[in-house]
Structures are given as C-alpha cells and as structure tokens.
Amino acid sequence: MTHPDPKPDEPTGRFAYEGLERIFHEKARLGIMTSLVTHSRGLVFADLKDLCQLTDGNLSRHLQILHEAGFVEIWKGFHKKRPQTLCRVTEGGRQRFLEYINVLETVVQDALKAASGSPSSPKLAEGWSPI
Amino acid sequence: MTHPDPKPDEPTGRFAYEGLERIFHEKARLGIMTSLVTHSRGLVFADLKDLCQLTDGNLSRHLQILHEAGFVEIWKGFHKKRPQTLCRVTEGGRQRFLEYINVLETVVQDALKAASGSPSSPKLAEGWSPI
DNA sequence: GAGACACGCTTTACTCTATAAAGCCGGCAG
DNA sequence: CTGCCGGCTTTATAGAGTAAAGCGTGTCTC
C-alpha cells in the first residue's frame, strides 16, 4: 500500500472546513434547502415560508440567490386565479447540498470527539495575565 | 403520561433552526471553537492560526468577538522575549458551543433523512412555466 | 363601477460583518 | 541608529441578511 492513511480532504490544516460553501452555510438557506430536499416534488412559496418561518421578502431574496446559483428551480403558475410560485431543488443543488452536509457532519464529529475527551481547564503557569 | 411525544425544541415550524447561534455559525469561528474545545489547555495565537488557516488580522478579530461574548479567555505572556497570546475556551463557551453542535446535528439528520428517501423530481402538471 | 382590502410576492434600504490591507511596537542584527 | 522581522491590532471596504415599503391582480361592498 502506498497510502497507509489517506485522509482525502485534509491537505495540511485541521479545522479549516473549506468545504463549507457560503451559499448553504446560512440559517435561512439551510432550512430552505432541507425543506426542498425533503419535499422533492417541490413546495409552493407560502408553504416553504411557513416551514422555514421566514418573511416573504426574506424567502424571496434567498430563493433568488439559490436560483441564480442553479440550486433551485422556480416555476410560476396559478391556483384559484392567484399567482403561485413553486420551488424545487435541482439535481445539482441536491448533490452539492449533500456534500455540504457531509462536511457539516465532520464538524459535528470533530466537536463531539473533543467534548468527550478533555474535561476542564488547568491553571496557567506564571507569567500570563488575562485580557 | 401527559406528553406522549414531547419534542421540546420545535414549537410550530420545522426546519427553522432557531438554535443556530450566529456567533458560532461561521466557518472561521467554527474552526476556532473546535480547535479550542479540542485543546482544552489552550492554544497560542500562531498555532490556532495554523490550525484554522486564518490570517493574523482575521483570527484577531474573531477572537475579539468570541472574547467579548465571554466564550474564550485571552491571556498575554512572553516566550523568548516575544509577546504571545494564549487562547482558551471558557466553561460557558464550551457548553454553549456544544449546544450549538447539537442543533447542527439535527440539521445533518434532517438532511440525510431526506436524502435517503426521495430519489428525483417528477414532471410538473400543465400550467407552470420556469424562471 | 369605484374604492377598499387581501393575497402573493419583489424591490429597496439599512445595518451588520467578514476579511484583506495597512499599521504598530518591541527586539535584534549589522 | 537604521532596517527588518515577529506578533499581533486596527481600519477600510465590499458583501450580505433582513425589515420595511412597494406593486399588481383579484374580490368584495356599496
């Protein structure tokens, strides 16, 4: 074997988390993407808004961003003579989001590993002063 | 039993993730906190900088923010006649960070649950147009 | 038929913030 | 004493999240 312990995604620095794509790493958009991945047939604007507890303007802007990135499709239609917007995640969006989620999983693992280990902080040697 | 299925942290809306504290939910600070929780005895500025792959100014600012929030302690000292800064997570910081991590874990669970389920998007009914 | 009102979003304006670049300060070498 | 380097801080700027305002269409009521 050439590589006893490959560790594919960690060139040099630990805890750098380069894979945490900015576009997904945002409370509101995390909720939107999770909602859309969960409901693969799509969600109308109002339902998505309720699921994610967002205001209209807010959801609109985030959807615009995700759409420009090619991660969600936006379809316009009508329901009872009122306009309706249907949102669906694209296949690419789905994949990239799940990659992001994998990185997030390693973050959680790292943190929990640390938590189980060291209990509490010891005193410092002389010569250090706070603040 | 009064509550068959309590679900403590979910009042009404799903995928809202209110527990995702802004101060931790940031790539750089996630790395810093994980590093500090992992090294409970503390880390000097330079080591932390390398671990998180941050620039000096960047790390300085993020530490300042975390310190003002009471989540990290900053100690000043000297090493070989050069100033050194030692950073340690506070007990409160450690706790709050792990709470944040728990929320992050539910995000990951939600997304992965969705991923295992629905495969791909069906066609839309007539009357919808894209963009 | 003309306001008034509600629905379903979009657009705008503001504030906050991450980060690159510049600055600062003491020690050391020549 | 002049310049340079290590070890951070401070500043400046671009970018982004979000509350508030705006807009267009349908549906009442009088």
Side-chain angles (χ1 to χ4, degrees):
Chain A
M1 62 174 77
T2 53
H3 286 271
D5 189 15
K7 280 190 182 178
D9 278 277
E10 218 159 325
T12 158
R14 302 175 60 83
F15 309 133
Y17 304 131
E18 290 190 20
L20 284 188
E21 297 194 56
R22 243 9 202 280
I23 196 169
F24 295 136
H25 194 65
E26 165 61 37
K27 212 161 100 171
R29 267 160 356 225
L30 248 177
I32 294 173
M33 289 302 294
T34 306
S35 303
L36 292 182
V37 169
T38 301
H39 301 83
S40 69
R41 315 192 56 135
L43 283 166
V44 295
F45 192 96
D47 291 346
L48 190 50
K49 179 185 129 180
D50 290 346
L51 277 181
C52 304
Q53 307 261 78
L54 294 170
T55 62
D56 290 12
N58 231 294
L59 175 55
S60 182
R61 189 81 230 304
H62 286 303
L63 281 178
Q64 182 185 324
I65 289 172
L66 289 168
H67 177 244
E68 281 167 4
F71 294 154
V72 309
E73 301 169 358
I74 309 285
W75 297 80
K76 298 290 185 183
F78 284 85
H79 177 65
K80 297 186 180 175
K81 294 210 173 181
R82 296 205 165 281
Q84 276 210 314
T85 303
L86 182 77
C87 315
R88 284 206 314 204
V89 65
T90 63
E91 186 49 30
R94 183 185 161 85
Q95 284 179 17
R96 293 278 292 273
F97 180 64
L98 291 178
E99 289 170 19
Y100 162 86
I101 288 291
N102 280 336
V103 180
L104 215 56
E105 204 173 6
T106 74
V107 175
V108 172
Q109 298 302 328
D110 286 351
L112 293 183
K113 195 183 305 172
S116 65
S118 41
S120 139
S121 348
K123 277 184 194 166
L124 244 45
E126 294 295 315
W128 294 94
S129 53
I131 293 179
Chain B
M1 63 174 75
T2 55
H3 285 269
D5 190 15
K7 279 190 180 177
D9 278 276
E10 218 158 324
T12 160
R14 301 177 60 83
F15 309 134
Y17 304 131
E18 291 189 18
L20 283 188
E21 297 194 55
R22 243 2 203 285
I23 196 168
F24 295 136
H25 195 64
E26 165 61 37
K27 210 161 100 171
R29 259 145 21 211
L30 250 177
I32 293 172
M33 288 302 293
T34 306
S35 302
L36 292 182
V37 169
T38 302
H39 300 85
S40 69
R41 315 191 57 136
L43 283 167
V44 295
F45 192 96
D47 291 347
L48 190 51
K49 179 185 129 180
D50 290 347
L51 277 179
C52 304
Q53 308 262 78
L54 294 170
T55 62
D56 290 10
N58 232 290
L59 176 54
S60 182
R61 190 83 229 306
H62 286 303
L63 282 178
Q64 182 186 325
I65 289 172
L66 290 168
H67 177 245
E68 280 166 4
F71 294 154
V72 309
E73 302 168 356
I74 309 285
W75 298 80
K76 296 293 186 182
F78 282 86
H79 178 66
K80 296 186 181 175
K81 295 211 176 184
R82 294 203 167 281
Q84 275 211 313
T85 302
L86 182 77
C87 315
R88 284 204 316 202
V89 65
T90 64
E91 186 50 30
R94 182 187 162 84
Q95 284 180 17
R96 293 279 290 275
F97 180 64
L98 291 178
E99 288 169 21
Y100 163 87
I101 287 292
N102 280 336
V103 180
L104 215 57
E105 205 173 6
T106 75
V107 175
V108 172
Q109 298 302 327
D110 286 351
L112 293 183
K113 196 183 307 174
S116 65
S118 41
S120 141
S121 348
K123 275 184 196 168
L124 245 42
E126 293 295 316
W128 295 95
S129 53
I131 290 178

